[in-house]
Amino acid sequence: MTFPSLTAPVPPDTGPHASVPRARHRPDLQGLRGVAVLLVVVFHVWTDRVSGGVDVFFVLSAFLLTGSFVRRIEHGRALGLPAYWTRTFARLLGPVAVMLLAVLAAMFVLFPPSRWAELLAQAWGSLFYTVNWVLAGQAVDYYAGNSAATTPLQHMWSLSVQGQVFLVWPMLLAGCALVARRTALRFRPVAWAVFGAVFAGSLVWSVVATSAGPEAAYFSTLPRLWEFALGSMAALADTPASRPRAAATRAEARRLGVEPGVVLGWTGLAAIVATPFLIGPETRFPGTAALAPTLGAAAILLAGALAPDAPLGVGRVLGLGPLQWFGDRAYGIYLWHWPLLITYLLVAARDTVPVSAGLGILAASVVLTRGSALLLTGWRALPGVRAGSGIRLVATALLVAVPLTGAHQYTLLRDPPAGVERTAQNYPGAAVLRGEATEVPDVPIIPTYDERGQEWGDTGEPCAPERTPPGIEELGGQCWIITPDTGTSEDSAAAPDTGTSDGPSGGTGRTLVVLGDSHARQLLTPIHRVADAQGWTVVSYLRMACRYTAESENYQAECNDFNTAARKATLEVDPDAVLTVGTLSLSEAPHEKLVEGYEAGVEPFLDAGIPVVAFRDNPRFSYDMFECVETYGPDRDRCNVPRSESLLPVNPLEELAARHEDLHSIDLTDRLCTETTCPGVIGNIQVYMDLDHVTSTYGETLVPDVEARLLEALGPA
């Protein structure tokens, strides 16, 4: 037994009273499914590219659904929508249920508890064909794709979109039939107008939504409806009345040595196969980029009508046995390949899949497709379940919903880890690398997954609006201030205090300005603690993703303008020192470099006699280090990257500091890395909140180092 193909809806009422001519057999459609599912698997397993195969399925599913309903409408038969829906979803949900139960079991065995809530939410969405909206709401990056941190149910978004279309499309077709009957118009022109409007409106919305937010647009239903409308229009174009004219056209074309159907079919296949090679991670998809695979699919559908038996037609290739074989199993292969891929990456702790392992994933998908079919055959043979599609649909849904409910309750009620006091003894952090903590107790690692979003640097208070320099907020930046008496009154955030009176701890009363991006912000946690201890005032002009430097053609215009405004504001403050991040870490070799134009960027301060303290950047990884620790544990090699693969052997700032007396370099690498590795966890604290930002919790343990090195760099007041 084989499953229905990924895009084949169950036709309307096929009972004994439904004497509707069947559509002629078209093996090219099954071969097209085979091409589409192979593209999906190949480009999911071995690349981070969009294959376009799912878009082909969208067009094909609408073509088949629309064609089956059109035949019934034009032969005056009842559509039987309730029976159609129950039959369709009973058949489609069975394989999904088996897959969901397998993923649920794998979740408890392999996935960290911090990810259970996310997976359960997506399992519920998959069961009710709404997971695409869940993913759109989470703004999941589809291009992030194949990694162990990706959910094993992310691929279910496309089946959710199709499920929603299988609900809406029959009602649209029934509405077209009703309008045609009430207005004495022919059905097909009415349907052409409706689906043409859906095509145009949805395509425009897709372009706008993709431009505004491609992550959400990728999974949303509305930006995808035009792809289904295209398939429906292809079905409406293949009319019985058009076939004699098409035959005459073909005869005339052959006399001239041209076969339009042949050219159309091969052009369509070429467009489909070329799509993944032309669309990379930088391409905003779907938008207009999705026209290539969808128009290619529509071209093949029309070519099959124009030249069904052409010796040189694309149908000869699509009708080959291997493509037919994969087409027969497309639905099951699609369902299983993605959970298997994510599970492999999780267990193997890899980012890439060897060819042999990828072929194993494909083979396992085929085996599980067959195994699921055998299970469902036995399930449908049970008393009561075999009584009808409605009972089978409800029973299948309950088969998944009951364990999902139990799993959800377990995650809510399970005993949390025993509370551990967050003391320096339990969580020494960088004290381990300072040699101050020789024994690290066995306690749960912090911060937790739920706390990760609060791990940005402690910036202090926002500057009062009337004291925020011009251009800072207008260019997407922020002004923050830390004063010795922060929190005692609103006036403490009114403006930078450039006075020299001692602070509450008898400090020097210095004023420092911090410039830069999120990497400068993360340093503000230890800088804040030092400022409190020393009685300093710290003003920060920060704009995310905008490292401080001189104007550069490689920076966005807004970033250049912000740096100019921040430079001007800093010179007006005339601080005792300017603090910046002077290097840029890279996830790939050479792993580190000076910030482009950095020396020119700090020269105005040096020329004004203002010392500059340039911090060396922390390591940057090619994957989320927090997720690595959550997924694999802190001791795995993957979460302990060799130091030689994290930063250069020598700090690039040293040479620059040697040329300028007032430029001082601070390198915290010895508090982020050992002699050999840069770990994800040090002293029971997660060092990184993602792939390149140090957690504020770990930053707290860097205070002694930052204080000592700042005082050494700046000297006595």
Side-chain angles (χ1 to χ4, degrees):
M1 174 183 176
T2 60
F3 291 121
S5 71
L6 184 62
T7 59
V10 179
D13 187 1
T14 53
H17 303 292
S19 56
V20 177
R22 292 182 175 272
R24 62 182 178 84
H25 178 61
R26 288 188 56 177
D28 59 323
L29 302 188
Q30 202 72 340
L32 184 57
R33 290 193 192 98
V35 170
V37 78
L38 287 174
L39 285 174
V40 168
V41 173
V42 167
F43 284 89
H44 275 174
V45 171
W46 286 297
T47 78
D48 59 354
R49 291 174 174 268
V50 172
S51 69
V54 167
D55 305 273
V56 173
F57 285 132
F58 287 170
V59 174
L60 187 52
S61 67
F63 177 84
L64 294 169
L65 184 155
T66 303
S68 63
F69 272 90
V70 167
R71 286 190 296 275
R72 292 202 62 80
I73 290 170
E74 293 185 335
H75 285 80
R77 299 297 179 183
L79 298 183
L81 297 188
Y84 162 77
W85 284 322
T86 55
R87 223 174 13 256
T88 297
F89 287 102
R91 292 182 63 189
L92 296 179
L93 189 60
V96 171
V98 177
M99 185 271 295
L100 288 177
L101 291 174
V103 169
L104 182 62
M107 182 190 82
F108 284 111
V109 174
L110 298 173
F111 287 83
S114 60
R115 299 186 62 191
W116 290 356
E118 173 194 33
L119 291 175
L120 286 173
Q122 293 182 13
W124 281 112
S126 299
L127 179 63
F128 292 106
Y129 291 89
T130 59
V131 74
N132 65 308
W133 292 109
V134 175
L135 294 168
Q138 296 171 347
V140 170
D141 182 3
Y142 190 82
Y143 287 114
N146 51 353
S147 72
T150 305
T151 166
L153 295 175
Q154 183 169 299
H155 70 311
M156 287 297 297
W157 75 271
S158 67
L159 295 183
S160 293
V161 172
Q162 291 191 73
Q164 294 160 24
V165 168
F166 289 168
L167 283 173
V168 173
W169 243 234
M171 290 190 288
L172 283 180
L173 288 161
C176 292
L178 180 62
V179 170
R181 189 161 54 247
R182 293 282 178 86
T183 60
L185 295 172
R186 291 167 50 214
F187 165 74
R188 292 202 186 221
V190 173
W192 262 104
V194 169
F195 288 108
V198 172
F199 174 85
S202 174
L203 180 57
V204 170
W205 179 250
S206 179
V207 172
V208 172
T210 301
S211 177
E215 293 84 5
Y218 193 98
F219 298 108
S220 297
T221 304
L222 292 177
R224 295 287 188 167
L225 290 182
W226 67 269
E227 302 183 44
F228 294 91
L230 182 62
S232 293
M233 290 190 292
L236 292 169
D238 184 18
T239 67
S242 69
R243 288 167 193 162
R245 292 196 300 271
T249 302
R250 290 200 304 272
E252 180 63 21
R254 289 194 189 100
R255 188 180 67 80
L256 299 174
V258 180
E259 180 61 88
V262 172
V263 174
L264 192 62
W266 284 109
T267 301
L269 183 60
I272 292 170
V273 174
T275 294
F277 297 99
L278 299 177
I279 296 176
E282 72 286 349
T283 305
R284 289 178 175 260
F285 199 92
T288 56
L291 285 168
T294 52
L295 289 177
I300 290 175
L301 297 177
L302 294 176
L306 290 173
D309 303 315
L312 299 178
V314 73
R316 297 296 181 179
V317 170
L318 295 177
L320 292 175
L323 290 181
Q324 295 287 306
W325 192 87
F326 279 107
D328 289 341
R329 294 156 180 81
Y331 186 50
I333 291 173
Y334 183 85
L335 280 178
W336 285 105
H337 85 284
W338 186 262
L340 288 172
L341 169 62
I342 302 306
T343 301
Y344 168 81
L345 294 171
L346 180 71
V347 173
R350 298 180 60 101
D351 285 327
T352 59
V353 181
V355 173
S356 58
L359 294 175
I361 289 171
L362 177 58
S365 301
V366 173
V367 171
L368 288 170
T369 297
R370 179 59 179 168
S372 300
L374 294 175
L375 283 174
L376 291 170
T377 299
W379 168 247
R380 285 192 285 267
L382 293 176
V385 174
R386 63 188 175 200
S389 299
I391 294 177
R392 189 165 71 249
L393 176 61
V394 173
T396 303
L398 288 175
L399 185 67
V400 179
V402 170
L404 276 181
T405 301
H408 182 72
Q409 291 301 312
Y410 172 74
T411 61
L412 294 177
L413 300 176
R414 69 188 180 95
D415 293 332
V420 176
E421 190 177 359
R422 296 192 178 188
T423 63
Q425 290 71 34
N426 288 329
Y427 298 99
V432 172
L433 299 182
R434 288 194 295 270
E436 299 170 0
T438 56
E439 293 186 6
V440 180
D442 183 15
V443 298
I445 295 168
I446 61 171
T448 66
Y449 188 87
D450 292 336
E451 295 169 337
R452 181 163 67 156
Q454 287 74 51
E455 286 295 315
W456 295 99
D458 187 352
T459 57
E461 300 292 331
C463 299
E466 66 272 12
R467 299 301 181 91
T468 300
I472 297 298
E473 292 186 346
E474 293 85 346
L475 293 166
Q478 291 176 301
C479 173
W480 303 90
I481 185 166
I482 299 166
T483 60
D485 59 343
T486 292
T488 61
S489 71
E490 292 185 3
D491 293 339
S492 64
D497 180 5
T498 58
T500 58
S501 60
D502 289 351
S505 60
T508 63
R510 281 188 167 117
T511 295
L512 310 180
V513 172
V514 177
L515 301 177
D517 57 5
S518 57
H519 283 236
R521 176 173 177 170
Q522 70 189 10
L523 289 169
L524 282 171
T525 294
I527 290 172
H528 193 157
R529 305 299 172 259
V530 175
D532 287 344
Q534 295 295 325
W536 294 347
T537 296
V538 180
V539 183
S540 304
Y541 303 129
L542 305 175
R543 186 180 191 273
M544 299 305 99
C546 183
R547 189 73 46 104
Y548 176 77
T549 188
E551 184 170 342
S552 169
E553 62 180 11
N554 294 324
Y555 277 49
Q556 293 181 348
E558 293 83 356
C559 180
N560 283 324
D561 292 343
F562 174 81
N563 280 335
T564 299
R567 186 181 307 117
K568 179 180 178 182
T570 301
L571 291 171
E572 290 178 355
V573 170
D574 189 24
D576 295 287
V578 172
L579 280 55
T580 65
V581 178
T583 63
L584 180 67
S585 57
L586 307 168
S587 60
E588 304 293 340
H591 304 299
E592 184 180 19
K593 66 179 182 179
L594 276 174
V595 173
E596 180 184 347
Y598 181 76
E599 186 172 15
V602 298
E603 278 181 349
F605 308 132
L606 298 175
D607 291 343
I610 303 172
V612 173
V613 178
F615 282 83
R616 188 184 191 183
D617 203 1
N618 57 269
R620 182 187 305 261
F621 309 99
S622 60
Y623 48 86
D624 190 315
M625 184 59 73
F626 193 101
E627 293 279 5
C628 181
V629 173
E630 284 282 298
T631 304
Y632 303 114
D635 299 326
R636 292 290 289 269
D637 290 343
R638 179 178 175 84
C639 308
N640 293 270
V641 179
R643 182 166 172 167
S644 60
E645 298 177 10
S646 302
L647 295 170
L648 291 173
V650 178
N651 180 3
L653 287 167
E654 291 183 5
E655 180 182 352
L656 192 61
R659 296 203 299 267
H660 299 277
E661 182 180 359
D662 284 341
L663 196 154
H664 311 280
S665 170
I666 290 184
D667 186 355
L668 296 173
T669 303
D670 60 338
R671 299 297 182 256
L672 299 169
C673 304
T674 68
E675 291 294 326
T676 57
T677 64
C678 295
V681 172
I682 299 175
N684 288 330
I685 299 177
Q686 289 260 31
V687 181
Y688 303 96
M689 61 183 292
D690 46 31
L691 54 83
D692 66 328
H693 292 100
V694 176
T695 63
S696 184
T697 301
Y698 190 78
E700 295 276 1
T701 69
L702 294 172
V703 172
D705 306 291
V706 173
E707 183 171 37
R709 296 175 194 191
L710 273 176
L711 291 174
E712 180 183 0
L714 298 177

